[in-house]
Amino acid sequence: MEQIEFQLLDASYEVDGLEPKILLWGRTPDNKRILLLYRGFKPYFYVIPGDAEKIGKDEIKQIKLLSKPKSPIIDVEITDKYFFGKPIRALKVTTLLPDYIRTYKEAAMKLGFVERVLEADVRYTMRLLIDFNLYPLRWYETKAREVSKKGYRVDHVYEIVGDIQEVGEAISRDPLKDLRVMAFDIEVYSKEGSPDPVRDKVIIISMSKGGETTTHFLEDPGGEHDLISKFTREILSFDPDIIVGYNQDKFDWPFLKERASQLGLKLDVGRRIGSQPETSVYGHVSIAGRLNVDLYNFAEEIPGLTLKTLEEVAEFLGVKKRSKRVLIPWYRIPEYWDDLNKRRKLIQYALDDVESMYGLSEKFLPFGAQLSSTTGIPLDHVMAASTGFRLEWRLIREAYKRNELVPERIERPPASYVGALVLKPEPGIKENVAVLDFASMYPSIMVKYNVGPDTLIREGEDPSLEEVYIAPSVGHKFRKEPDGFFKVVLKRFLKWRRDIKTRLKKLDPSSPEYVLLDQRQRAIKVLSNAMYGYMGWSGARWYCKECAEAVTAWGRELILSAIKFARSLGLGVYYGDTDSLFVDYDREKIEKLIEFVEKEMGFEIKIDKIYRRILFTGAKKRYAGLTVDGLLDVTGLEAVRGDWCELAKEVQLEVLRTVLREGDVERAIEYVLNIIDDLRSNRIPMEKLVIWKTLTRRPSEYKVDSAHIRAALLLEQQGYRIAPGMKIGYVIIKGHGKLADRAKPFILSSKDEVDVEYYVDKQVIPATLRVLQVLGVSENRLKMRGKGQRSLFDFM
């Protein structure tokens, strides 16, 4: 027996005979990969009777009679718990095998005295992590004895015989330091549209092991069989802790697994011998003992970037510029493979892809690691889970600590309610505008007014007015005392983040500790800010529409009070959105406004950014500003939306730069006219005219006939396999009739077919007018060349 210190990487379980055993995958301080086995943890759930006073031997006997021989009910215990903050008596039912929990839940619900069954849907491995207070990527120590490692690809296997304790100060360690990271990507040969793993071959597999890239490609005589075998051997040789890719959960792993099956191979790449990648919760692919992280899940949450292709995201985050890499459309891969003169370029394309993936992992994984160690969700599916699920797993942990039972998940239709206050701005350009942000407005409201489903005054309750907070305009009431579940959790989050930010002020921003703590405070911020939205999410266990409605009502009152005081100071207020105010940048008056909000209203507010010049279109949530640092900040305009062609977005951005940086309206107009000339003269590459839209279902399932659906149907007619989630790229061609009738997949189109006037009238000019119309420029002005030099200041 020995004392083992380890970092917890992942958890899973196996059934050994009639006993489940938990598998804790980890590594030691000297970087040995280990597996710790824990036996004896029994699955359980709670039965809630309709009348708690009548719980007795008869009710316990009825539950025990449900017992099945393969997994008998081994204990039924009367226990005192809390449910939505109120005391409740429950029966804790324990069995042997996790798979029998669902069976017993359904049987228990049929018993006459049972009102509900709780926590039967908490997954077994997560149950242990919660009960033992274990968080992925943190460090622990325990007493264990070494056992045979037969069946596992690790340095040592231990059986835990003692308690598991967190190592002091371990949370300050970089959770990713010395972990082995591998990126991979595959290229597939398909002349018949979307790749089919039954029909089409894998021709290239590129890998980056710790940043060192290699590419393997299909060669005779071994062919694809040897290619996939070599890929498997390379994984086992490098033995990565983390495997990253880009959309590998939905494409690369399922495709490789099916190809391996077709070739009589097994994709045995896990640390449990014989295991293969398997699709698990939230759609992520699980690999035994390794963390398979799909970077696309991170990219999906990048604000301000609508096209989430690998090359777009890599350029956006400064990993690899599009101009510095090989770009080949997926449908031309067979052409480049068949032509030996072009094949080298295809191989470089594959290398560029995997280098981009590895570079993105260095950007994304630090945040993912902190989110994992904060929520308690393993890194391999923390981003595949929605924000609501991430928060919910942390709430389940907090409930366990408070002896609170977790509500069941109920299917309910979404319910709408009045949201945040958004002012409609006057169209025009303003100079020297400050944006003031309420710090954590909604979480702060929830804390101040004790908002939560357990403090909400419900029908039949009648406390005195002195005992409650009353939400303005909606009238929902919340008890002032005791502190509710959500308030307790949020206070802990907000204090945790404040303490981290205090430490950050004392550190060098380039230091590893600063980077680590900054990612941690960001993870905490994400969870804190999600709390309000979670209450209004119809899928939430702790769903409370009244709570969400009350928070937005207090938010509207707060921002209106701040606007009123700002105007009393003589500050111009140009725009307001949820928790932000756009006002004149007058430092002295702004300081008085901040003092009023903080001292009189009890909320924190600060200057978030300062615009040297900002253009309001007159529509809510659509503006563009030039910050004092010279950065162009665009919100809601075509330049950051996905349903416009690249040319329209490119032109709008250039017009914004010209107008906001140089103040030269005429130059912006001349630029647009030149672009129109280039369009009509066929000098614009067709790739810039493609409009991309994502399918959410199969084309035949749509009832509305729209352009991208028509393009998808045309692709199917040509033999392409089209599936939900695919991005459809189309152009508008010459002809008559509805727009949908003239939509054609760009991969089936030629430049001569393109309806140039559509792109002039419906793409370039509307995107440009969104900016220039504010300055008095008409549509006719953009369709004809004229004279008369005017500057920006003529329009202010």
Side-chain angles (χ1 to χ4, degrees):
M1 189 181 303
E2 54 188 303
Q3 192 79 3
I4 302 296
E5 184 178 335
F6 69 99
Q7 183 187 26
L8 176 62
L9 299 180
D10 198 7
S12 55
Y13 83 93
E14 298 174 350
V15 174
D16 188 357
L18 288 179
E19 180 186 27
K21 60 181 180 184
I22 296 284
L23 281 63
L24 300 178
W25 303 92
R27 60 149 173 176
T28 60
D30 60 352
N31 236 19
K32 299 292 185 183
R33 272 56 187 178
I34 64 170
L35 173 62
L36 297 110
L37 308 176
Y38 188 88
R39 301 177 187 272
F41 183 71
K42 304 295 191 298
Y44 64 87
F45 61 94
Y46 293 95
V47 170
I48 312 300
D51 186 351
E53 299 300 320
K54 292 184 178 179
I55 293 183
K57 293 181 180 179
D58 184 56
E59 287 72 24
I60 292 174
K61 182 179 179 181
Q62 288 185 57
I63 292 176
K64 286 185 174 180
L65 286 173
L66 302 175
S67 195
K68 305 285 184 183
K70 287 188 177 180
S71 180
I73 293 174
I74 57 177
D75 191 31
V76 181
E77 173 190 2
I78 298 174
T79 181
D80 291 319
K81 309 288 282 186
Y82 290 90
F83 191 52
F84 286 102
K86 295 180 173 57
I88 191 171
R89 182 155 286 188
L91 292 169
K92 181 180 179 182
V93 182
T94 306
T95 184
L96 285 179
L97 299 178
D99 287 351
Y100 275 77
I101 291 287
R102 180 188 294 272
T103 301
Y104 287 136
K105 172 191 174 179
E106 293 172 355
M109 286 299 297
K110 295 176 183 178
L111 298 177
F113 71 93
V114 175
E115 180 179 324
R116 54 166 53 98
V117 173
L118 299 177
E119 303 197 13
D121 54 354
V122 177
R123 298 198 310 276
Y124 178 62
T125 50
M126 289 299 292
R127 178 82 273 172
L128 177 128
L129 297 183
I130 291 166
D131 290 14
F132 286 20
N133 200 31
L134 303 180
Y135 289 82
L137 300 178
R138 296 192 192 179
W139 287 83
Y140 299 92
E141 59 183 10
T142 187
K143 288 183 179 179
R145 61 169 172 265
E146 188 162 7
V147 296
S148 169
K149 64 178 186 179
K150 183 180 179 181
Y152 303 104
R153 296 185 178 104
V154 291
D155 296 308
H156 302 281
V157 176
Y158 299 94
E159 188 164 325
I160 295 173
V161 295
D163 294 335
I164 306 173
Q165 302 292 333
E166 188 165 2
V167 176
E169 297 302 314
I171 198 170
S172 299
R173 301 183 193 178
D174 178 357
L176 299 175
K177 184 175 172 58
D178 296 326
L179 288 181
R180 293 192 285 263
V181 180
M182 186 201 88
F184 85 101
D185 187 40
I186 68 172
E187 307 301 337
V188 175
Y189 187 97
S190 176
K191 281 190 171 182
E192 301 178 49
S194 298
D196 183 338
V198 175
R199 175 193 66 209
D200 300 322
K201 291 182 178 182
V202 177
I203 54 174
I204 299 175
I205 302 179
S206 48
M207 304 173 71
S208 181
K209 297 173 287 187
E212 295 184 6
T213 56
T214 57
T215 298
H216 304 288
F217 51 93
L218 188 148
E219 297 172 320
D220 289 331
E224 191 184 15
H225 185 285
D226 280 4
L227 175 64
I228 294 177
S229 297
K230 187 183 292 185
F231 171 68
T232 302
R233 289 195 301 272
E234 292 245 2
I235 291 178
L236 299 182
S237 173
F238 181 64
D239 193 24
D241 304 296
I242 302 173
I243 300 177
V244 302
Y246 202 80
N247 199 36
Q248 84 269 32
D249 282 347
K250 293 181 180 175
F251 179 72
D252 298 68
W253 282 125
F255 198 98
L256 276 170
K257 188 176 175 183
E258 179 59 33
R259 287 308 299 160
S261 176
Q262 293 288 324
L263 296 166
L265 294 169
K266 206 171 182 184
L267 210 58
D268 182 9
V269 295
R271 283 181 170 152
R272 179 164 56 80
I273 296 173
S275 65
Q276 296 194 84
E278 299 289 349
T279 300
S280 185
V281 293
Y282 312 124
H284 90 284
V285 170
S286 179
I287 301 174
R290 309 191 197 280
L291 298 167
N292 172 63
V293 179
D294 193 334
L295 301 174
Y296 181 73
N297 294 323
F298 288 83
E300 280 195 307
E301 298 190 15
I302 298 176
L305 184 66
T306 51
L307 194 57
K308 305 296 174 65
T309 62
L310 174 61
E311 56 267 22
E312 292 283 350
V313 175
E315 180 170 65
F316 183 79
L317 294 177
V319 170
K320 186 180 278 288
K321 290 184 177 181
R322 285 166 56 89
S323 59
K324 300 293 184 183
R325 60 153 299 158
V326 174
L327 293 172
I328 298 174
W330 60 270
Y331 60 90
R332 295 188 66 186
I333 286 175
E335 171 194 335
Y336 277 76
W337 178 257
D338 290 337
D339 187 336
L340 295 180
N341 294 321
K342 292 182 178 180
R343 186 177 291 186
R344 185 175 297 277
K345 194 171 183 179
L346 179 61
I347 292 169
Q348 185 59 50
Y349 165 78
L351 278 172
D352 287 342
D353 269 2
V354 82
E355 285 176 4
S356 294
M357 290 174 193
Y358 193 85
L360 287 179
S361 76
E362 294 179 312
K363 298 280 187 180
F364 289 142
L365 289 181
F367 172 66
Q370 292 303 322
L371 199 57
S372 175
S373 66
T374 303
T375 61
I377 303 177
L379 179 62
D380 57 344
H381 61 264
V382 71
M383 292 304 294
S386 68
T387 302
F389 283 123
R390 293 174 214 154
L391 174 61
E392 193 164 84
W393 279 114
R394 178 70 195 216
L395 291 176
I396 292 172
R397 286 176 173 271
E398 297 295 333
Y400 180 80
K401 294 173 187 175
R402 288 168 57 90
N403 202 33
E404 279 266 352
L405 289 174
V406 176
E408 65 267 56
R409 192 179 304 288
I410 298 173
E411 289 190 18
R412 54 176 75 86
S416 60
Y417 53 89
V418 180
L421 176 70
V422 182
L423 300 180
K424 185 176 181 180
E426 290 293 323
I429 287 184
K430 300 296 178 184
E431 291 200 321
N432 297 320
V433 173
V435 182
L436 299 177
D437 264 10
F438 286 87
S440 303
M441 177 196 272
Y442 285 168
S444 298
I445 287 172
M446 291 176 67
V447 169
K448 181 172 183 178
Y449 298 111
N450 203 22
V451 177
D454 54 341
T455 59
L456 173 68
I457 303 301
R458 301 181 185 272
E459 189 175 348
E461 299 177 304
D462 189 25
S464 67
L465 293 179
E466 292 77 20
E467 294 178 292
V468 297
Y469 297 110
I470 304 176
S473 76
V474 293
H476 302 313
K477 300 174 184 177
F478 299 88
R479 294 189 184 276
K480 293 181 178 179
E481 294 179 344
D483 287 353
F485 176 43
F486 280 14
K487 179 175 180 177
V488 170
V489 174
L490 275 172
K491 281 175 70 176
R492 182 177 300 152
F493 281 171
L494 295 175
K495 181 181 184 302
W496 192 2
R497 188 164 178 244
R498 279 196 304 270
D499 291 346
I500 291 173
K501 295 183 86 170
T502 299
R503 288 176 63 184
L504 286 173
K505 292 176 182 178
K506 302 174 183 178
L507 297 172
D508 178 353
S510 63
S511 67
E513 187 180 1
Y514 184 97
V515 174
L516 175 69
L517 290 175
D518 189 46
Q519 295 291 352
R520 184 170 300 148
Q521 69 84 19
R522 183 181 159 210
I524 298 165
K525 178 183 178 181
V526 166
L527 293 179
S528 301
N529 290 343
M531 195 81 85
Y532 144 75
Y534 173 80
M535 294 188 300
W537 173 41
S538 61
R541 294 176 186 270
W542 282 274
Y543 174 74
C544 181
K545 178 194 170 186
E546 298 91 341
C547 298
E549 201 168 42
V551 171
T552 56
W554 266 304
R556 293 192 299 273
E557 181 185 64
L558 177 57
I559 203 163
L560 285 172
S561 299
I563 290 171
K564 183 178 179 181
F565 189 79
R567 286 174 174 160
S568 74
L569 294 171
L571 281 171
V573 179
Y574 303 114
Y575 184 53
D577 185 352
T578 310
D579 58 356
S580 300
L581 286 179
F582 293 61
V583 302
D584 285 324
Y585 181 55
D586 182 322
R587 189 79 203 191
E588 185 178 339
K589 291 178 180 178
I590 284 177
E591 286 177 356
K592 290 181 180 178
L593 175 59
I594 289 173
E595 183 179 6
F596 168 77
V597 170
E598 293 185 345
K599 291 187 177 178
E600 300 298 322
M601 305 183 73
F603 290 88
E604 184 182 345
I605 192 172
K606 60 180 175 55
I607 296 176
D608 179 54
K609 63 181 70 172
I610 301 168
Y611 290 115
R612 182 154 57 89
R613 194 173 287 146
I614 185 169
L615 180 144
F616 294 108
T617 65
K620 296 177 180 180
K621 299 183 183 292
R622 292 190 178 183
Y623 59 87
L626 183 69
T627 69
V628 291
D629 299 322
L631 299 176
L632 186 63
D633 190 14
V634 182
T635 298
L637 300 182
E638 286 76 5
V640 293
R641 289 168 57 193
D643 50 354
W644 291 75
C645 72
E646 189 64 31
L647 180 65
K649 293 188 275 189
E650 185 180 288
V651 171
Q652 188 182 75
L653 277 175
E654 185 57 33
V655 168
L656 284 168
R657 289 189 192 101
T658 305
V659 167
L660 293 176
R661 286 182 178 159
E662 301 173 26
D664 194 336
V665 178
E666 288 300 325
R667 183 175 173 184
I669 292 171
E670 186 64 24
Y671 163 75
V672 176
L673 293 174
N674 288 335
I675 289 293
I676 291 172
D677 286 346
D678 288 344
L679 251 175
R680 288 173 171 158
S681 302
N682 209 23
R683 290 193 292 266
I684 301 293
M686 194 170 77
E687 286 76 12
K688 290 191 175 185
L689 305 180
V690 179
I691 302 168
W692 293 92
K693 296 201 76 171
T694 302
L695 290 175
T696 57
R697 57 183 80 100
R698 296 186 181 281
S700 59
E701 295 174 354
Y702 282 88
K703 295 179 180 178
V704 178
D705 188 20
S706 57
H708 74 295
I709 303 305
R710 183 64 63 89
L713 289 169
L714 287 172
L715 285 170
E716 284 190 329
Q717 290 172 16
Q718 294 296 316
Y720 289 83
R721 296 179 72 248
I722 305 299
M726 288 184 64
K727 290 185 181 295
I728 303 298
Y730 64 92
V731 292
I732 301 301
I733 61 173
K734 299 168 187 174
H736 302 285
K738 297 184 301 181
L739 186 68
D741 295 335
R742 296 190 290 123
K744 188 173 181 180
F746 86 96
I747 62 176
L748 303 178
S749 307
S750 68
K751 202 170 183 181
D752 293 338
E753 293 180 279
V754 172
D755 184 353
V756 170
E757 294 306 315
Y758 164 82
Y759 286 92
V760 172
D761 295 336
K762 302 299 183 182
Q763 289 278 324
V764 173
I765 287 180
T768 305
L769 279 178
R770 187 80 70 187
V771 178
L772 294 180
Q773 202 166 39
V774 172
L775 307 175
V777 179
S778 69
E779 184 173 347
N780 287 337
R781 178 74 174 85
L782 296 177
K783 290 185 175 180
M784 58 183 290
R785 292 186 177 274
K787 295 184 179 180
Q789 298 297 318
R790 292 179 291 175
S791 77
L792 171 67
F793 303 102
D794 294 318
F795 302 99
M796 292 180 62

